Amino acid sequence: MKKQWRTIIALLLIIVIAIFSILNVKEVSINFWFTEIKMPMILILLFSILAGALLIGLLTTSATLKLKKENKELNQQLDEYKNNFDELLKNSIDKIKTQNRKEVQLLQNEIKSLKSENINR
């Protein structure tokens, strides 16, 4: 459905441009300090529009390239943070396990000593 709307809009724009072209066939002169050119008005308008579109395209392309580069760098940083986080998490888990084992061992020793005290009574 989206493509159909784009096609319809493109056709409407082509029709408007065609009508605009037909209405603006009068020849006009343009003075460039060093020379003067006579052309149909529609060609001047189309060249101006094309030059503007190219300029906008160049500006947006450079901005897009900068954003893509920044995005790539940020994704690399994110991957590094993920890897570091995984290592940190693993180290923390290992530390907690070691502490828990020590505590379990201490508690088991305490239970043994209490049992032996109880037996001796």
Side-chain angles (χ1 to χ4, degrees), residues 52-66:
L54 288 174
L55 183 63
I56 289 171
L58 288 173
L59 292 175
T60 57
T61 300
S62 73
T64 302
L65 290 175
K66 284 180 185 177

Side-chain angles (χ1 to χ4, degrees), residues 30-38:
I30 300 174
N31 189 358
F32 295 103
W33 292 283
F34 52 89
T35 187
E36 187 173 305
I37 299 175
K38 290 187 177 187

Side-chain angles (χ1 to χ4, degrees), residues 12-105:
L12 289 174
L13 283 173
I14 289 170
I15 291 170
V16 167
I17 290 171
I19 292 171
F20 192 71
S21 298
I22 293 168
L23 295 175
N24 291 295
V25 291
K26 182 179 177 186
E27 196 167 278
V28 293
S29 61
I30 300 174
N31 189 358
F32 295 103
W33 292 283
F34 52 89
T35 187
E36 187 173 305
I37 299 175
K38 290 187 177 187
M39 298 174 85
M41 187 184 302
I42 189 61
L43 287 179
I44 295 169
L45 290 170
L46 289 176
F47 285 143
S48 299
I49 291 169
L50 181 63
L54 288 174
L55 183 63
I56 289 171
L58 288 173
L59 292 175
T60 57
T61 300
S62 73
T64 302
L65 290 175
K66 284 180 185 177
L67 289 174
K68 281 184 179 182
K69 181 181 177 184
E70 185 178 339
N71 189 26
K72 184 178 178 182
E73 290 172 357
L74 289 173
N75 280 331
Q76 287 174 348
Q77 284 181 355
L78 181 62
D79 288 340
E80 288 176 20
Y81 288 142
K82 282 181 182 177
N83 291 337
N84 289 341
F85 177 76
D86 289 342
E87 286 180 31
L88 263 166
L89 184 63
K90 183 182 176 193
N91 290 341
S92 297
I93 289 172
D94 288 344
K95 220 183 243 184
I96 291 171
K97 281 181 180 179
T98 305
Q99 287 175 346
N100 285 344
R101 284 187 192 121
K102 286 179 183 178
E103 286 179 20
V104 166
Q105 187 65 37

